[in-house]
Amino acid sequence: MRHYVVVGSGVAGLSAAEVLRERDPGATISLVYEEPHSFYSRPGLAYLLADLVPEEQLFARTQAELRDLRLNWIHARAAQLLPEAHQVVLSNGQGLTYDRLLIATGSTAVPPDFPGGDLAGVVKLDNLDDARRILKLARRRRAAVVIGGGITALELVEGLRARGVRTHYFLRGDRYWANVLDEAESHIVQERLKAEGVVIHYRTEIEAALGRKTLAGVETTTGEKLPCHILGVAIGVRPRLELAQPAKLKLDRGILVDEFLRTSAPDVFAAGDVAQVRDPRSGRAILDTLWSTALAQGRAAGANMAGAEVPYVKQVALNVTQLAGLMTTIIGAVGSGRDQDLVTISRGNSEAWSLLPQAQVIIEKHDVNRVRLLVGERTLVGAVVMGDQTLSRPLHRLIAEQADITPIRAALAADPASALSLISDFYAEWERDHVTPAH
Ligand SMILES: Cc1cc2nc3c(=O)[nH]c(=O)nc-3n(C[C@H](O)[C@H](O)[C@H](O)COP(=O)(O)OP(=O)(O)OC[C@H]3O[C@@H](n4cnc5c(N)ncnc54)[C@H](O)[C@@H]3O)c2cc1C
């Protein structure tokens, strides 16, 4: 009887455990988890902060469903990996010997590197305990400053605003999320934030967080002081490599894995935010911090740990999210360059989005409804759909399945204002010959 050990009870770890149980009903499966909560939706934390869902709704499995998996739940931190001995040592000193191990330890916020970064009131948003802490602080309804870029910064800004906290958003550069959005898209988001009462400070950086033990305010690099009792920091995330690094697994920015999610150590697999997988479109090993990717990788890793030998093929990166209350879908390669507000990848992001190949940009817009298409030589390579989502599924399929759009390419370039109807008509015809792939 095999012993599988999974470290991390996020979506990658849990979905791996579910597949392992399906494929190997008699096996012993140990799930080592450090957070004191049952499995929950991490993207849902934004909805909790903004008071759109109660906490109970974040728990994505019932207790009965979790019990049915017949897992050996071990509430501890995996402290050390000894690949040659096939052992994981836990924080309580216990050693667990595995036949196959999955590292699904996720990622964590990059700590701030300014004085006062450790004051009470300086917060990040990695997990449920962080969200609870922020909600408690927000009850005082004074003022908050948020720094950083990407989705998490915006979620902090909107969550605090929704809770009645006067919220200042500091941007190092001229605009929001510059490595993914274009100027007009950033502008739409910024205008919506302002309309919600958020005060945006452009080209503004923090010199220090001020206070004795507790945060009292911030000082900017130009010497301006702003009183606040919450400082939300969202300057990027890093894969959690505490287990993998000392065990000398092959690393880049994450744990490098092959197409079966195998690491460089025998019988050790990695999946989710912590893993760095080859992207067939760019040919590069890239990082994703996407829920859907972590879920798919967890399932593939589970199957391969159980002996299936099914290669994992990275799908086109997709995120459907709300940006300042505006439904936005981001698909494939859409941006380039750097975002000064981020020191690494942010959450809900894919490095694939910023690996922009040669592409022509075509835009159709109606008020806040906006579609930006990135058109390669024969295929669509990316899209950002803001507002009206009618085209997001068709575009996702056309991009993911690399549909040959040669028949409409010239017309798209010649008449961007008709882009949406050209795509709709083309998709209707293309769809007839292309059955949706099974998930
Ligand atoms: C606020 C927020 C908003 C987000 N928004 C989006 C979004 O809009 N769209 C999107 O696609 N994605 C979003 N994400 C990202 C998405 O949630 C992650 O990509 C996904 O959760 C990654 O899953 P994972 O299982 O790899 O890691 P995680 O969910 O991070 O789980 C890893 C688990 O492992 C545990 N762990 C780590 N080390 C150890 C150890 N040594 N021992 C035991 N346990 C350990 C951690 O405590 C954690 O519970 C968001 C995330 C956050 C936090």
Side-chain angles (χ1 to χ4, degrees), residues 8 11-12 34-35 42 78 105-106 155 272-273 289-291 319 347:
V11 62
E34 153 193 81
E35 282 189 71
R42 233 168 266 273
T105 49
E155 288 170 348
D273 282 6
T289 49
L290 291 169
W291 180 267
N319 195 358
R347 289 205 194 270

Side-chain angles (χ1 to χ4, degrees), residues 6-15 32-35 39-47 49 74 76-80 90-91 103-108 125-127 151-152 155 237 240 242-243 271-275 288-295 297 318-322 346-349 353:
V6 175
V7 180
S9 62
V11 62
L14 190 81
S15 49
V32 182
Y33 67 104
E34 153 193 81
E35 282 189 71
F39 173 63
Y40 64 92
S41 161
R42 233 168 266 273
L45 295 174
Y47 297 88
L49 280 190
I74 303 176
R77 187 171 52 82
Q80 196 185 7
L90 305 182
S91 45
I103 304 178
T105 49
S107 55
T108 184
L125 181 57
D126 267 353
N127 54 42
I151 291 177
T152 316
E155 288 170 348
V237 291
R240 291 189 58 174
E242 305 98 295
L243 265 189
D273 282 6
V274 77
D288 275 351
T289 49
L290 291 169
W291 180 267
S292 54
T293 307
L295 184 123
Q297 287 182 3
L318 168 79
N319 195 358
V320 185
T321 188
Q322 300 250 11
S346 61
R347 289 205 194 270
N349 203 338
W353 288 345

Side-chain angles (χ1 to χ4, degrees), residues 35-37 49 59 69 75 78 139 141 166-167 172 185-186 190 201 281 284 295 305 318 322 336 385 398 418:
E35 282 189 71
H37 307 291
L49 280 190
F59 295 95
L69 291 172
H75 187 199
R139 274 190 224 129
R141 291 187 182 211
R166 181 161 171 77
T167 306
R172 271 186 165 167
E185 289 156 357
S186 299
Q190 290 156 198
H201 303 244
R281 285 168 184 80
R284 288 164 58 174
L295 184 123
M305 288 165 79
L318 168 79
Q322 300 250 11
S336 57
V385 183
L398 293 174
S418 306

